[in-house]
Amino acid sequence: MNKTLKSLFKRKSFLISFAILIFFVIISATANLLTPYTNPYEFSQEYIANPYSPPDWASIFPQYSGLPPTTTYQFTTSHAVVQKEGNVSFTKNSTYVIGELQGKNSCLNVSYPFTYNSPAYKKAPSSFSLNFTGLIKTSSSTDVQVNIYLIHGNKSYFLESFVPVDYSFNFLYPTCPLPVNSVSNFSIESGGLNFVNSPYISSLSGSARLEGGILIPSLIFKGDPTSYNVMVSVKDLSGGPVSAYISPPKLKNEGYLYGILGTDFRGSSVFSEFVLGARFDLELSVATSLVIVGIGLILGLIAGYKGGKTDTVLNSVTDFFLTIPTLPLLIVLESVLVATNLILNVNKAFIIFTLIALLSWMATMKIIRSATFTLKGRTFVEASRALGGGSFHILFKHLIPNLLGIIVAQIAYDVPTVILVESGLDFLGLGITSFPTWGNMLGYASHELTASNGFVWWWILPPGLGIILLSAAFYFIGTALRDVLSPYKTRGEA
Amino acid sequence: MEEEISIEKLKTYFKTKSDYVKAVDDLSMSVKKGQIMGLAGESGSGKSTVVTTIFRVLPSNAEVKGGKITFEGNDILSMDEKKFKKEIRWKKISWIPQVSMDSLDPLYTVKSQMMETILTHEDVSKAEAAERAYKALESVKLNPEIAEKYPHELSGGQKQRVIIAMALLLNPSLVIADEPTTALDVVTQASIVELLTKKKKEMGFSMIFVTHDLSLLATMADAVTVMYAGQLAESGNAETIFKSPEHPYTKLLLKSIPDIRKWKERKLYSIPGEPPNLENPPSGCRFRTRCPFAMEICKDKVPEPVTLKGGHVVACHLLGDKK
Amino acid sequence: MSRSKMDKDEQKHRKSSLLSRISSRLPVRYLVKRIVERFLLIFAVVNFLFFLFWIFTLYIAHLNPAELYIPLDYKNANRASEIAGLDRQFGFDKPLYVQYVDYVKSMLTFHFGYSLIYDESITKLIITHLPIDLLILVPSLILSTLLAIFLGLFSALRYGKLSDVVNSNAAIITYFIPAFWVFTIVLDYLGFTLGIFPTNIVGALTASNGEPLKGFAYVAGLLKFSALPIILLTLLSYGVRMILTKASAVEVMNSHFITYLRARGVPESRVVFRHVMRNSIIPALTRMGVDFAFIITGSVFVEEIFNFQGIGYLLLDAAESLNIPVLGATFFIINVYIVIVLFLLDLVYPFIDPRVKYD
């Protein structure tokens, strides 16, 4: 075994291929750590940045330089800078800034400073979002107000104001309902802001007032200085006791650059699609390939070992399958199975796995069959039979060990075939569409490519290169294993 | 008697990853005009390499490291390739390879391959070339219809006759037959040998008959050269070699020929051990590892060929002792 | 004998031998056996299709193909009565064995019926979709085989050298390049960005004034359109045949008959081009034959990307709308084509390699 490994690692092609394979295995195994997304095709995981955003590092190219990146600020309570007005006391724990307000017009301002290098960017971010949870405890007769501001330098932008519904008519600017005495999520999407919910936008005039939600990132995030603040302000307007629990907010600036591999037309992370696609392709192709070789091995061994009529029948069946065009049959079967709704409850990946396995075993069968024929005629098998060795003994003692090289190589060779066929189906839209695979990434990307969105290279290149690298790696590993494990070679017979 | 071809201190080595395989090492031999020289030795002793060296068709990893092959007064090895091709190759020296070697292109008919050989060397019309091919086939007692056949349609004996016809197409003065009867059945073997000797008488060419089977040479060869592990062991006229061999290897080879008159003994002798690995041959005499008479000196010194009376050459330290 | 007479004799001899070769190589028994075998294969395919489209959809999935057969907005006709009519026409009201016999009969006689969705006879539909595929696939098959032979011999002659290693590995990598991916990228760049190649067939066959092209201009437009897919397909599909050619050329060059040819003084160019080449292209030619049989099966990708409608499109479109008559007929025709080409290959093969005999 040691000798086998040594001669394997002597081959440059094997080493490189092995390294590539290990790389893909690692990113597949750690996919959940590498990306927070479980399925970027799901609506909730879209729009994490502007669609068609190139990767962050693309800013080294002139055409992408100066684009704002997508940045997320996850503040903690330790970042909080607290200002008090009136009779206010506050404490901090790890999840909340807790303020006790007592007295009319007392006010608690919790601000979180951050820097955003707006002077360096040509554009403002396309949108931003702000989230935090809060709990306002008060009696129903108390008028309390939670205001949210973005502060740039000395300018402050009054994004939204939350007040209990009963008091909303007291204000000249638009407000939103504030649920009291229950933990609630405060969420602001820049795109959702308009003159009926945002005090700042309602203060604008002309077309800016109407298009506020789209314009607001460019109104706030521009020019000097680089210091910004998010401020959550709790105001006690009627003087009753108010306790406010405010969690640190999460602010996200959705820019025009994103992550390692940018975003696709959904604004989903291409990197997470690539990683999840790698995991799926690897799992599916290896599993399918094992089944393919399993079927081929069993039929090939039976045909080759039994010979005679058994062989004729099995060989004819194989020939029948060989003359049937695989891809058209896959298309036909897929569509019939899907259209007849018979497999509604069955995973589509499972259908593809089954169909590819059932339609691809023929080559393996032929190879195993002819190798078995050759082996059967060899002296050591004949001797074993003459000595009264049973079929099973011969099969497991002589045939399988001698076929090992072919079997292992065939498994490795079938992986690229499965990857290519599966990707082709996905590309055509017949395969998996609900979660990312390299094939459907290419399918979506090429549709978008022709829809004149420019050359979205960060999206269309990785899956294609992934397919080539992974397939070639399996091929060269297979060849190396076949050469090294083939007993004929070691005996100098081949 | 005049010499047809003489080989002097020929060294042909094959390159391997780290070293050289000394397939032919310091071999000297010569063939007299009109004679049959038998070149004998075990498989792997370098006999076939001598042949491919003469024809200058060595594989790309082989190198001639030294020596001369004199034919008609010129050194074949240093001769201009064009001149060799034009004047000597096939016109003067031809080659009958082993039948099992698949020496004919499987995709062309016998006729087309014979015509190709003629047309390469002679400026004749296609029809004439075809006619000569038919005649050549007839002269080796084959039905001319065979000309239209493909090699795989022929039996072993037929194939070998076709190759003999091919070798004799241009009336060569030297024919090198490299194991022409190996892999044929005994009856066909006999008829091929008979054909060759008959043709030799008719056409008067000289011949090098390469074989691993010494017994075959007993009846036909005028002189015999025995090679061991790429080197000369012993050479001389046939009678001397068969009647009074001096080299232990020759003696053992002769001992291992089954003798029908002693069939009762029923014991076949075979030389113990295996031919040495030529990438790293034993020091001194290469035969010493299998030689029953090996001495100290055999380990240290390569035995120089010693010429005894009647042109009998032996490379063995035992002889040096006698002197 | 005079030389001219000899030449004539020679010719006669050659002619008669060729004829006798053909007759001796085409034994009737072999032909009959093969044809029966191939027919059984086609029959098996028909049965498979009947199972898939009739039994499976009708009795297992309870789907009425007739319902799928009529477009929802077809000519404002009364859909229910149309379906009932079709049921009668297809014989869905008849016993299963009658339906089976009818189905087999219609398939084997190539009477596929009329597609209401395309408003065209299905046979005609297939015939009109086929030429554009062949226009692109056949030239690329031939070109890629030539390229494969050239590069394969090149590599074999430089076996083990750097140029061989690069050349061979490049060929191996082409196995794994997803064609649709490269097509998309190249078409985007050369077609949409640079505008060198037409991006769809309608554009390629229409003059700038909107008139359809005619005559020479039509042919030129067609050539211009097919050039890019042909080139790309050639570059992506030569790999397997190149490696086959190289492997067999290396083997042939090490075989004894090549040494023997050189020993006989046959010129090196003749050795390489007449003997090595002819021997080593056999695997590539065999592969080309098989690829020719399966040529249509991958066309769907080329069609999808280069925007033209061939058999692949027909199949895909029928699959997506579950147009069972078109689906069945197209699949059947592709299969019949494969079976016929493979059969012809068996017949031609002994002429490419005389060692192979009809058995």
Side-chain angles (χ1 to χ4, degrees), chain A residues 90-396:
Chain A
F90 76 94
T91 52
K92 287 191 210 175
N93 66 21
S94 61
T95 43
Y96 290 112
V97 173
I98 305 153
E100 303 289 343
L101 292 86
Q102 189 89 50
K104 199 167 167 163
N105 285 339
S106 62
C107 182
L108 174 77
N109 293 334
V110 189
S111 32
Y112 296 87
F114 65 94
T115 54
Y116 181 79
N117 196 6
S118 44
Y121 302 130
K122 281 189 223 154
K123 270 180 167 178
S126 66
S127 63
F128 62 84
S129 64
L130 195 60
N131 289 290
F132 64 93
T133 50
L135 167 63
I136 306 297
K137 280 193 201 160
T138 179
S139 66
S140 60
S141 60
T142 304
D143 183 7
V144 64
Q145 189 182 16
V146 177
N147 296 329
I148 297 161
Y149 299 87
L150 263 176
I151 300 165
H152 179 209
N154 49 18
K155 274 191 198 160
S156 65
Y157 301 89
F158 191 3
L159 296 181
E160 266 187 47
S161 175
F162 295 86
V163 286
V165 181
D166 295 347
Y167 296 91
S168 56
F169 54 86
N170 291 349
F171 299 93
L172 292 172
Y173 48 81
T175 58
C176 298
L178 173 71
V180 288
N181 296 326
S182 68
V183 178
S184 46
N185 281 316
F186 294 83
S187 169
I188 294 176
E189 301 279 341
S190 66
L193 296 175
N194 52 42
F195 60 86
V196 294
N197 62 15
S198 168
Y200 171 65
I201 293 175
S202 77
S203 73
L204 298 169
S205 59
S207 64
R209 191 175 139 89
L210 298 173
E211 293 165 12
I214 299 161
L215 286 180
I216 193 163
S218 60
L219 295 174
I220 301 174
F221 294 99
K222 63 169 186 200
D224 290 322
T226 58
S227 63
Y228 288 79
N229 275 288
V230 179
M231 188 170 87
V232 181
S233 162
V234 183
K235 225 171 185 178
D236 185 354
L237 293 175
S238 41
V242 173
S243 37
Y245 295 75
I246 306 292
S247 80
K250 181 178 160 188
L251 171 73
K252 212 178 131 196
N253 272 341
E254 280 143 16
Y256 291 90
L257 293 171
Y258 178 79
I260 302 173
L261 290 176
T263 59
D264 65 3
F265 70 120
R266 297 178 172 88
S268 300
S269 160
V270 173
F271 175 73
S272 68
E273 287 171 17
F274 180 76
V275 167
L276 295 169
R279 187 174 70 186
F280 174 77
D281 276 36
L282 206 54
E283 284 170 357
L284 180 94
S285 58
V286 171
T288 316
S289 175
L290 286 172
V291 175
I292 290 172
V293 174
I295 301 173
L297 177 66
I298 291 168
L299 295 180
L301 270 179
I302 295 175
Y305 186 71
K306 287 261 176 192
K309 267 190 191 147
T310 319
D311 175 47
T312 313
V313 171
L314 287 178
N315 203 29
S316 310
V317 172
T318 311
D319 282 340
F320 170 76
F321 274 94
L322 273 176
T323 37
I324 287 187
T326 314
L327 190 72
L329 184 59
L330 270 174
I331 292 174
V332 169
L333 282 175
E334 256 276 324
S335 57
V336 170
L337 285 177
V338 173
T340 51
N341 283 335
L342 273 187
I343 40 83
L344 206 59
N345 298 321
V346 186
N347 194 334
K348 208 167 185 185
F350 184 74
I351 299 175
I352 290 178
F353 158 76
T354 317
L355 288 182
I356 296 179
L358 288 180
L359 294 177
S360 318
W361 50 269
M362 294 80 75
T364 313
M365 184 275 185
K366 289 267 177 183
I367 291 167
I368 299 281
R369 173 177 168 264
S370 72
T372 311
F373 264 137
T374 325
L375 281 174
K376 206 173 68 166
R378 295 189 95 80
T379 348
F380 62 94
V381 176
E382 280 180 347
S384 176
R385 205 172 338 179
L387 290 170
S391 285
F392 271 96
H393 173 79
I394 292 172
L395 221 57
F396 287 101

Side-chain angles (χ1 to χ4, degrees), chain B residues 13-23 61-63 65 277-281:
Chain B
Y13 293 177
F14 288 92
K15 221 188 247 165
T16 62
K17 259 183 199 154
S18 50
D19 216 340
Y20 285 104
V21 169
K22 295 161 182 138
N61 63 338
E63 275 175 50
K65 284 286 195 182
N277 171 8
L278 291 181
E279 197 171 338
N280 194 10

Side-chain angles (χ1 to χ4, degrees), chain C residues 146-312:
Chain C
L146 292 177
L147 184 69
I149 289 171
F150 174 76
L151 291 178
L153 284 177
F154 173 89
S155 246
L157 290 170
R158 283 162 186 73
Y159 184 63
K161 296 199 175 119
L162 183 69
S163 52
D164 162 43
V165 174
V166 172
N167 190 14
S168 302
N169 281 309
I172 289 173
I173 293 297
T174 65
Y175 302 176
F176 308 117
I177 298 179
F180 47 84
W181 178 64
V182 174
F183 290 171
T184 309
I185 293 172
V186 175
L187 185 71
D188 176 66
Y189 189 67
L190 297 182
F192 288 103
T193 309
L194 297 184
I196 299 173
F197 289 97
T199 54
N200 64 74
I201 192 160
V202 180
L205 297 181
T206 314
S208 48
N209 59 8
E211 288 282 308
L213 293 173
K214 285 196 182 95
F216 180 73
Y218 177 85
V219 176
L222 213 52
L223 280 178
K224 204 175 173 201
F225 170 73
S226 48
L228 189 59
I230 288 175
I231 293 169
L232 288 178
L233 267 180
T234 302
L235 292 178
L236 287 179
S237 60
Y238 79 95
V240 176
R241 276 163 265 157
M242 181 273 177
I243 295 294
L244 283 173
T245 309
K246 179 197 151 188
S248 80
V250 167
E251 202 192 312
V252 169
M253 283 197 289
N254 285 326
S255 60
H256 190 255
F257 73 84
I258 294 298
T259 311
Y260 196 49
L261 276 166
R262 291 197 176 122
R264 274 181 275 158
V266 174
E268 193 58 25
S269 60
R270 208 175 155 81
V271 171
V272 170
F273 290 108
R274 190 172 140 94
H275 296 278
V276 174
M277 188 159 107
R278 169 120 193 248
N279 273 280
S280 50
I281 63 174
I282 289 177
L285 288 183
T286 312
R287 182 64 192 229
M288 184 176 103
V290 175
D291 286 348
F292 182 60
F294 288 89
I295 197 165
I296 297 292
T297 61
S299 71
V300 58
F301 292 109
V302 197
E303 294 168 27
E304 173 95 358
I305 289 152
F306 287 94
N307 296 309
F308 63 92
Q309 302 182 349
I311 290 287

